[in-house]
Amino acid sequence: MENEDDTFDKTINAIKPIHADTVHKICSGQVVFSLAVAVKELVENSLDAGATRIDIRFKNYGIDLIEVVDNGTGVTEENFSALTLKYHTSKLSDYSDLLGVSSFGFRGEALSSLCSLANVSITTRHQTAEHATKIVYDHNGHIINKTPCSRQVGTTVTLKNLFCSLPVRQKEFHKNVKREFNKMTNLLYAYCLISVGVNITCSNQTNSNSKSLVVTTQGDDLFIIDQHATDEIYNFEMLQRTTELTSQKLVIPQQLELSGVNEEILIDNLDVFKKNGFKFEINENGLPTRRVKLLTIPMSKNWIFGKDDIEELLFMLRENQSEHCRPSRVRAMFASRACRKSVMIGTALSKADMKTLVNHMADIDKPWNCPHGRPTIRHLVNLSMVYTK
C-alpha cells in the first residue's frame, strides 16, 4: 500500500505547466529589466509617433511615478484594446517586413510588459478625435476603465509602482534607484543626440517637492564634438580591450593568503590577471587559501603595482566578471597614455578624420566623457538669442 508521504512527494515533484500569468510576469521582466529600458521603450514609441516634443517626468527618481508626454499622432479608439496586448504592433504584419523596418520598435512587447510590471494608464488623443481618452489597464493589458478628458493631440503614458509584480526586483530597484536613474539619463542623452528637430525634456520631483530639470534640448540644438576628448576615450577603450601589460619577475615569489572564494576566482581568471601583468604559480595539492604564489607584477616606470591591485581585481571579478577588468591604477595609466596619443585641440582635421572620430564613438559603450571626465559633446548656444531675452 502506497505511503501518504510518498504520494505527497510525488505531487510536489510533478512537472506541470507554469500558469500563463506567471509566464507573462517572468518574460516581462526580461523585456523591461531596468528603469532605463522602461523609459527607452516609451521614448521610442513617442519618436515613432512623429512627436516633436517629448516630456519625461519622474517623481522620486521613478519610484512613485514615470510619465512620458508627447505631441505625436495619438492612438485611434479602435486600437485602444490592442495597444497593450503582447505581440500586437502596427509596424509589421509578416516576418519579411523585418527587412524594411525603419521604426525603433516592432515586436509589440513593450507596453504589454509594462502593464505586467506596473500600474499603467494612457491618455491619448488622435488627430482625428474630438477629445482625448484616459484608459486604465490591468496587469494583463486589458482595459479596466475609459474616461473622456481634455488634452491636445498626442499621448501620455503614466507608470506607477514599477516592478510591483516582481517584489525582489522592486526592492533592488528602490535600493539602487539613483544609480538606475543615472543610467537612464545617460541613455536619454543618446536619444537627444540623434533626435534632430525633437524637443526632449526630463525632470524629477522629490518628496520635498523640489523639481529639477535633468535633461533639456530645444529641438534645433547644435552640437560640437571635442576632438581630443573623443579620440581620448576611444584610445582608452582600445587600450582597455587589447593591451596585455609587460610583466617583471619577482626575485622571490610571494605567497598569497586569500579567502577560499577569492582563491577560486583568481584561479578561474588567470587570463584576466595575465592581461594585467600578474602571473601566478598554482599548487593544486596545496592547502586551501594558500595555493597561490605571485610570480610577476606589471612593469612600469611611473606606477608601482602589488597585492592591493590583485585585491581590487578580485573584487571587480566577484561583482561583474569580465575579460576587460582593469584595476584603477592600470586605468589611470591607460588614461595618461590615451591622452598623450590623442588628437590635440586645434589640430586641423580632414572630413575623413572627422568621420573616423564620429564612427569611433559608435564603437564604444560609453562615448560621452573622456577618462578624465571631460565631455566629448558640447552644446553650441546662439548668443544673439541669449542677449535678446
Side-chain angles (χ1 to χ4, degrees):
M1 184 174 176
E2 192 172 31
N3 189 296
E4 285 186 9
D5 289 339
D6 292 339
T7 305
F8 179 73
D9 288 341
K10 286 179 181 178
T11 304
I12 291 227
N13 296 325
I15 297 175
K16 49 194 174 184
I18 302 174
H19 193 276
D21 288 346
T22 304
V23 172
H24 187 36
K25 288 178 184 177
I26 294 171
C27 293
S28 296
Q30 301 302 312
V31 175
V32 179
F33 52 85
S34 68
L35 177 66
V37 173
V39 174
K40 163 191 169 295
E41 296 290 354
L42 297 180
V43 169
E44 287 184 351
N45 280 351
S46 295
L47 292 171
D48 286 340
T52 57
R53 290 197 310 276
I54 304 174
D55 186 17
I56 304 126
R57 304 166 185 168
F58 293 88
K59 286 186 179 178
N60 253 354
Y61 303 97
I63 289 177
D64 297 335
L65 176 86
I66 305 161
E67 193 166 73
V68 176
V69 184
D70 69 49
N71 67 340
T73 55
V75 182
T76 57
E77 187 169 359
E78 58 265 27
N79 285 322
F80 288 173
S81 296
L83 187 61
T84 53
L85 296 182
K86 204 167 186 65
Y87 307 128
H88 283 61
T89 179
S90 61
K91 293 155 189 174
L92 55 83
S93 56
D94 189 75
Y95 186 79
S96 60
D97 293 342
L98 285 170
L99 297 174
V101 168
S102 58
S103 58
F104 285 104
F106 58 85
R107 294 175 303 174
E109 290 187 288
L111 286 175
S112 171
S113 296
L114 287 170
C115 280
S116 176
L117 298 172
N119 301 327
V120 176
S121 64
I122 297 176
T123 303
T124 186
R125 179 184 175 187
H126 190 260
Q127 52 198 1
T128 60
E130 295 182 356
H131 58 78
T133 305
K134 181 178 180 180
I135 315 147
V136 180
Y137 294 91
D138 66 16
H139 290 306
N140 293 314
H142 299 139
I143 295 174
I144 299 174
N145 186 36
K146 289 192 296 183
T147 311
C149 60
S150 175
R151 191 202 190 282
Q152 297 295 321
V153 172
T155 301
T156 299
V157 180
T158 303
L159 309 179
K160 293 182 179 179
N161 206 12
L162 184 61
F163 300 122
C164 60
S165 57
L166 300 174
V168 175
R169 178 65 187 95
Q170 188 181 57
K171 184 178 180 181
E172 182 189 2
F173 169 53
H174 289 181
K175 180 181 177 182
N176 302 300
V177 67
K178 289 189 178 179
R179 185 189 304 168
E180 293 225 16
F181 189 82
N182 288 335
K183 288 181 180 179
M184 179 281 304
T185 305
N186 282 328
L187 184 62
L188 201 55
Y189 288 149
Y191 286 93
C192 292
L193 180 62
I194 65 172
S195 304
V196 179
V198 181
N199 179 354
I200 298 176
T201 59
C202 176
S203 60
N204 178 56
Q205 184 176 343
T206 61
N207 281 334
S208 61
N209 285 327
S210 62
K211 185 176 180 181
S212 59
L213 196 60
V214 182
V215 175
T216 180
T217 66
Q218 298 304 315
D220 55 355
D221 281 357
L222 298 176
F223 295 90
I224 185 170
I225 293 178
D226 183 325
Q227 60 194 48
H228 178 74
T230 301
D231 201 25
E232 185 179 340
I233 186 59
Y234 176 77
N235 290 331
F236 174 76
E237 288 290 340
M238 291 304 103
L239 288 170
Q240 287 263 88
R241 294 180 191 179
T242 63
T243 302
E244 182 169 319
L245 295 179
T246 305
S247 300
Q248 57 181 354
K249 206 167 188 177
L250 296 177
V251 176
I252 301 175
Q254 294 182 14
Q255 178 70 55
L256 298 183
E257 293 189 14
L258 304 170
S259 69
V261 172
N262 279 349
E263 190 175 73
E264 288 299 325
I265 292 172
L266 187 148
I267 293 171
D268 288 343
N269 292 277
L270 290 175
D271 288 344
V272 175
F273 284 92
K274 182 183 176 185
K275 200 171 181 180
N276 284 285
F278 295 101
K279 295 179 183 176
F280 306 94
E281 177 185 283
I282 309 299
N283 180 3
E284 298 290 349
N285 298 318
L287 293 172
T289 75
R290 293 183 58 84
R291 291 187 293 165
V292 180
K293 282 187 178 180
L294 176 62
L295 302 181
T296 71
I297 59 174
M299 181 182 291
S300 173
K301 293 179 181 178
N302 304 315
W303 302 84
I304 299 174
F305 297 94
K307 292 182 179 179
D308 288 346
D309 303 287
I310 294 172
E311 291 288 345
E312 185 182 358
L313 261 177
L314 287 168
F315 175 79
M316 294 170 71
L317 289 165
R318 191 165 62 242
E319 293 296 310
N320 184 20
Q321 196 159 353
S322 168
E323 60 180 318
H324 303 309
C325 275
R326 302 286 190 177
S328 54
R329 279 186 280 204
V330 171
R331 294 198 301 274
M333 183 172 68
F334 285 167
S336 180
R337 289 183 187 178
C339 184
R340 293 194 302 270
K341 180 182 178 182
S342 300
V343 176
M344 298 307 294
I345 294 174
T347 303
L349 300 179
S350 66
K351 285 188 177 180
D353 293 332
M354 295 178 193
K355 187 174 182 179
T356 298
L357 287 179
V358 173
N359 288 339
H360 281 171
M361 294 181 75
D363 292 337
I364 55 182
D365 294 330
K366 298 177 181 177
W368 311 117
N369 298 85
C370 81
H372 298 104
R374 189 169 59 255
T376 56
I377 299 173
R378 301 173 188 270
H379 287 272
L380 283 178
V381 179
N382 187 332
L383 293 178
S384 62
M385 290 178 62
V386 174
Y387 291 132
T388 55
K389 287 181 179 179

